[in-house]
Every structure is written in C-alpha cells, then in structure tokens.
Amino acid sequence: MNWINFFFYVIVLNSLTGTVAYLLCKLLALVAKKYNAIRIIYPLYRLVLLFYIVPLGYIYIRCKVGFFYGSATIGDGFFGNLEIHLLIQLCLVTWIIGMIGICVVYYAGKWKKYRIMYRNNLPFRGDEYRAILRRFYPKKNWNRIRFCTNFTVDSPCVMGIFHHTIAFKTLNYSKEDIEIILMHESTHIVRKDNLGKKIAMVIVLINWFNPVLRFYLKDLDAWGDISCDIHVCSRFLGGHARKYFDLLWRFSQMEEQYSENLPAFVSKLNSEQSLGKRVEYMIRWQKAGKKTGVSVLLALTLVIGSSVTAFASSVQVASQQNNLYCKTRVQEVDVVDNDDLQEYVIPADQVDEEKWDNAIVYDDALLEPLSIQRNFDWKIPGNNFARSVGFIKKAGSTIVVSCYVYDDRYHHVGIRRPDGSMLYVNGMHQVTKTFNCETTGTYYVYVENMRSKQIRAAGYFIK
C-alpha cells in the first residue's frame, strides 16, 4: 500500500470518521441521559473505538474500485507533480516526528511514573481474596491474579492489561469493604476496561494532531467508572448502592497529598472529583431501570450514522484526490510529450495473436468515471502484455499515453488499432506519446514486457 493512501485513508480519514463518531456519541449520550438510559452510554463510548481503528473508508474505496486494478492506487505518487509529492512526504515525516516526540516526552514520563509506582507493590498470597473473586465470577480463571499492597496509590486499583494486579493501599479493611472492593475491581478485569483504555491511549498517540481525542479518553475513563458502579450494584448488591457509595466516600476522605495520579491503563475504585457524578447517575439508573429499547435504538443510531459518515467522507476524499491527480497529470502532457520517440508498426498479420489473447486485461470500467482520462498501475509478467479493454475512437482523434516503466530496460508502450496492427514506441522509465487514430474503430492501450521478469508500469492514458 502506497504511503499516500496509507496517510489519507488510514490515518487522516480514520481520525475524521472516529471524531465524527465521538461527537455523535456525545449527542446520543445527552439523549440517553434525558431518558435515563445510563447503562448504554459506556458501551457507546467503547464502540467509538472501532471507528478509530477499522479503516472503513479505505476498505470502502478498495472494494469499490477493486483490489487488483490500477484505480486501487488513485493518486499514488502524483507522478506529474513533484511539489505535491514532496508536500505529502513532508506531512508524513511531520506526523512521524510528532508521534515519536509525544511518545518520548509525554507518555514516556507517564510510563516511568507508573513503573515507579508498580515497583512499590508488595505482593501477598491472598488466597481468601481469590476465593471471593471465584464466587463473584465463577467462569473466570483467577489463578494468575496478583494481590499487593502499595502505599503510593490513593485508592484500591487494578493494574495491567492481560496479567492483572489488584493493589490495596492498606489491608486494614473490613470483610464487607474487601468484598465491595473486589466486586468493583473484578468487574473492570472481566470487562477488559484497562485494555480499552490502553487502545484509546495508543489511538491518541497515533492521532496526536487531533485534539478532540484527549476529551474522548477522559470521557471513556469517567463513564467506565460509572458503568462499573451500576454493574456492581445491579449484579451483586440487588440495586442497593448505599453501602457501595459509603465506601467510596470514606476512601475519598483518606486520600493523601503525595499520592500519584494513575495513568490511563489503570482502573481504580474511587476518584473524589467524579464521586458526585457517579452518585447522580446511580440514582437516575435506579429510578429508570434498564431502558432496553432506548439503548438498542441509540446503539444502532451510532453505528449507522458513523458508518454513513465514514463512507461519505471516503468518497469525497477519493474524489478530491483523484481530481487533483488528474489535473497534474493532464498538465504534464504539454511539458513532457515525447513526440520525438520513433514509432514502430507491427502489421496485423505479424501480430502474435495467441500472446495477445493471453495478455492481462485491466478493465478500466472499474475506475472512477472520468471524462477523458484513465489511470492505471499494471504489473506485467515476463514476456507478456498488459492491456486495457477496448474503446471506440474516431478517425482524426488522438490517444495520449503517459506512464512510468519501473525497469532499466526498454519496453513497448503503444496501441492496437482496429485493423489489428500494433503501433508502439520503445521507452524506458518515463514514456509519454501521442498516437494518431487514422480510422474509426476499437482501440486498445498496452504495455509489453520485453524481459523475462515481472515489471510495473503506472500512469494514465487519455482517450
């Protein structure tokens, strides 16, 4: 896949469609709050991750134009305009440097703090805690879970993505408090909340140029705790949340000034700043119940609305990119037309028809409809042809063929005329030629590989 397609269709377009999905999710979250469908909000925010990860726009373009035809590389390289090509390369270098810089300066610092905090973990066996976890989630394998104490954390938390550690600030909790803590942290583990946070953090790193993503990471973290509260109270406490929030309130009063802020890939029991919101949404959930119908409708709206946006934006980006490509390529004809190339004719009775019939045919009908120009990117096996499908030309008109042959030897670039004869030029690297059409009929554009190994020819022809 060409760097330009990678940058536009996978990075820029994913950032755009993901951001639209996030903004739509915030709108749907307002609707969910209005109808008290609180439980669906966190799944909606997690669903947004798909639109940042899956390159829907690129997949759509590839499926539309075909995986094996020249149009699948619309705009690649901008062969006719070196300035545009260099500008795209500059954008790519800036993106890579920015990504590395943010990773080293910002996230490396967070990771260092996390590792310092992690080294303060003091492990203990915790067999009785593991037995409590098995009672809560009997189908989950809890044998590899680790239990530790850590004086640097401000509340109990779960660390890790695949190998989890539950860290307690101290062990002087009552049995009832321990059970509530383990309810909360085991729910984070079962739902893989830390993995979702880590994926979101990587997306923020890759799309560092998109400031909206930082707000998304914050919302995902906040709603993860709210959703976990509701799940714990619903599954284990019969909907009664008073004991649960009494524990959170007591923990908030015990926070110390020197406690470290936990990074995005750690889920903790309590945050004093969010406690009021968590109580508010818990009360609203208790009054409203599940709201299954509203939840399903909101999820479908997010998926359909974001998918339509992804497809629409991909079409617009492809169209604009292709238009710019076509303009730069057409302008090149006036500058680089090599009319001094000698033309050669193969009479119809001397054409190797068997070889012609076995040529690789690239159907340009699969390309985006252009008025006069067809782009191609052909891979031509050794000692064989690659050709277009036939098209009608009138007598007195011309066919402009311009392509770059990726090889250091001469190859044949030409047309086949209605009478069966072949008109071609011998060219190497950049080959541009205007062929005259002497009769009305069906013409073909072709490139013949004159050596035994596969070559590539990319460019366009104007009918």
Side-chain angles (χ1 to χ4, degrees):
M1 179 171 58
N2 189 281
W3 266 108
I4 293 178
N5 272 346
F6 177 81
F7 186 72
F8 276 111
Y9 294 126
V10 180
I11 303 301
V12 176
L13 201 55
N14 265 32
S15 185
L16 173 64
T17 55
T19 299
V20 171
Y22 167 57
L23 296 177
L24 178 58
C25 181
K26 286 189 73 72
L27 178 62
L28 295 176
L30 294 176
V31 177
K33 292 175 189 177
K34 181 178 179 180
Y35 291 97
N36 291 326
I38 304 300
R39 294 192 71 166
I40 191 60
I41 297 178
Y42 180 60
L44 290 180
Y45 275 103
R46 294 193 71 170
L47 195 59
V48 170
L49 284 174
L50 294 178
F51 294 94
Y52 280 111
I53 297 172
V54 181
L56 293 177
Y58 183 74
I59 292 173
Y60 174 72
I61 292 296
R62 293 299 297 265
C63 290
K64 184 175 181 181
V65 301
F67 279 92
F68 304 105
Y69 295 93
S71 58
T73 56
I74 292 175
D76 281 353
F78 290 97
F79 298 113
N81 193 315
L82 180 60
E83 289 78 11
I84 295 177
H85 179 75
L86 292 177
L87 178 62
I88 296 298
Q89 299 300 322
L90 178 62
C91 292
L92 293 172
V93 172
T94 303
W95 167 63
I96 293 172
I97 292 175
M99 187 169 58
I100 294 174
I102 291 177
C103 178
V104 172
V105 174
Y106 184 70
Y107 287 104
K110 280 185 169 290
W111 176 256
K112 183 179 179 181
K113 287 183 179 180
Y114 168 72
R115 293 304 303 174
I116 292 174
M117 180 184 65
Y118 191 84
R119 284 197 291 269
N120 288 319
N121 284 339
L122 300 174
F124 61 92
R125 288 183 61 86
D127 291 336
E128 65 277 15
Y129 294 171
R130 193 171 284 107
I132 294 173
L133 293 177
R134 290 195 184 101
R135 192 171 79 244
F136 292 154
Y137 291 98
K139 295 183 180 180
K140 176 75 175 178
N141 183 8
W142 298 104
N143 292 330
R144 301 181 68 180
I145 200 76
R146 298 176 69 241
F147 301 96
C148 299
T149 58
N150 191 322
F151 69 92
T152 63
V153 299
D154 53 17
S155 76
C157 64
V158 56
M159 304 178 186
I161 302 171
F162 302 107
H163 303 292
H164 297 95
T165 298
I166 298 179
F168 300 86
K169 191 175 184 65
T170 64
L171 288 179
N172 58 344
Y173 305 120
S174 67
K175 182 178 180 181
E176 187 176 42
D177 288 349
I178 287 291
E179 288 189 348
I180 293 177
I181 291 170
L182 293 178
M183 289 175 191
H184 183 93
E185 304 305 348
S186 63
T187 299
H188 278 308
I189 293 172
V190 169
R191 299 192 314 176
K192 302 186 185 302
D193 287 341
N194 282 9
L195 177 60
K197 290 181 182 181
K198 188 61 176 289
I199 292 174
M201 192 184 71
V202 172
I203 292 173
V204 172
L205 176 63
I206 293 174
N207 298 274
W208 59 268
F209 52 86
N210 186 348
V212 176
L213 268 165
R214 288 158 182 80
F215 297 100
Y216 170 64
L217 187 59
K218 182 178 178 181
D219 286 341
L220 183 69
D221 190 20
W223 282 104
D225 282 329
I226 294 170
S227 175
C228 189
D229 295 340
I230 294 174
H231 185 89
V232 168
C233 293
S234 173
R235 181 184 177 95
F236 303 113
L237 302 177
H240 302 293
R242 184 167 182 173
K243 291 181 180 179
Y244 181 80
F245 281 100
D246 280 345
L247 176 65
L248 263 62
W249 173 254
R250 283 189 279 114
F251 280 5
S252 70
Q253 302 304 305
M254 293 189 297
E255 292 181 357
E256 299 182 10
Q257 295 298 321
Y258 61 82
S259 296
E260 293 283 357
N261 291 322
L262 302 184
F265 38 87
V266 176
S267 294
K268 57 183 176 179
L269 174 68
N270 182 53
S271 172
E272 185 180 11
Q273 295 82 4
S274 65
L275 186 57
K277 288 285 186 183
R278 293 165 72 173
V279 173
E280 174 191 347
Y281 290 122
M282 176 63 69
I283 294 173
R284 294 174 66 171
W285 167 75
Q286 288 176 322
K287 292 180 178 179
K290 292 184 178 180
K291 295 286 185 178
T292 304
V294 177
S295 300
V296 171
L297 183 60
L298 291 175
L300 289 175
T301 302
L302 177 64
V303 172
I304 295 173
S306 301
S307 299
V308 170
T309 302
F311 296 148
S313 59
S314 65
V315 171
Q316 287 299 316
V317 170
S319 176
Q320 293 300 320
Q321 188 182 359
N322 195 37
N323 289 339
L324 180 60
Y325 177 64
C326 293
K327 290 177 182 178
T328 60
R329 297 298 286 145
V330 172
Q331 290 171 359
E332 183 196 52
V333 175
D334 300 330
V335 179
V336 194
D337 190 1
N338 299 323
D339 279 327
D340 56 340
L341 289 174
Q342 183 178 353
E343 294 183 345
Y344 300 90
V345 178
I346 301 178
D349 58 352
Q350 297 181 21
V351 172
D352 188 341
E353 294 294 347
E354 181 179 358
K355 190 175 180 180
W356 176 264
D357 292 337
N358 291 329
I360 298 176
V361 182
Y362 290 88
D363 186 358
D364 61 1
L366 294 173
L367 294 166
E368 293 289 334
L370 301 174
S371 56
I372 58 172
Q373 181 168 309
R374 301 297 190 195
N375 306 319
F376 63 85
D377 191 343
W378 295 343
K379 294 179 181 178
I380 311 165
N383 299 316
N384 207 337
F385 290 96
R387 64 178 178 86
S388 69
V389 295
F391 52 91
I392 305 298
K393 292 290 290 184
K394 293 183 179 179
S397 60
T398 60
I399 301 173
V400 178
V401 181
S402 181
C403 68
Y404 190 91
V405 180
Y406 291 80
D407 195 55
D408 293 330
R409 297 187 184 181
Y410 285 92
H411 300 276
H412 295 175
V413 178
I415 61 173
R416 186 168 189 183
R417 300 183 286 195
D419 63 359
S421 63
M422 303 173 74
L423 183 63
Y424 69 92
V425 295
N426 255 331
M428 179 174 61
H429 299 319
Q430 183 64 45
V431 181
T432 302
K433 184 65 179 177
T434 301
F435 296 97
N436 296 317
C437 301
E438 298 176 352
T439 59
T440 300
T442 301
Y443 287 81
Y444 304 85
V445 172
Y446 74 90
V447 178
E448 183 177 5
N449 183 358
M450 303 305 295
R451 62 184 307 179
S452 58
K453 73 173 187 178
Q454 178 178 279
I455 64 169
R456 176 189 173 198
Y460 70 97
F461 58 91
I462 300 176
K463 303 192 296 183

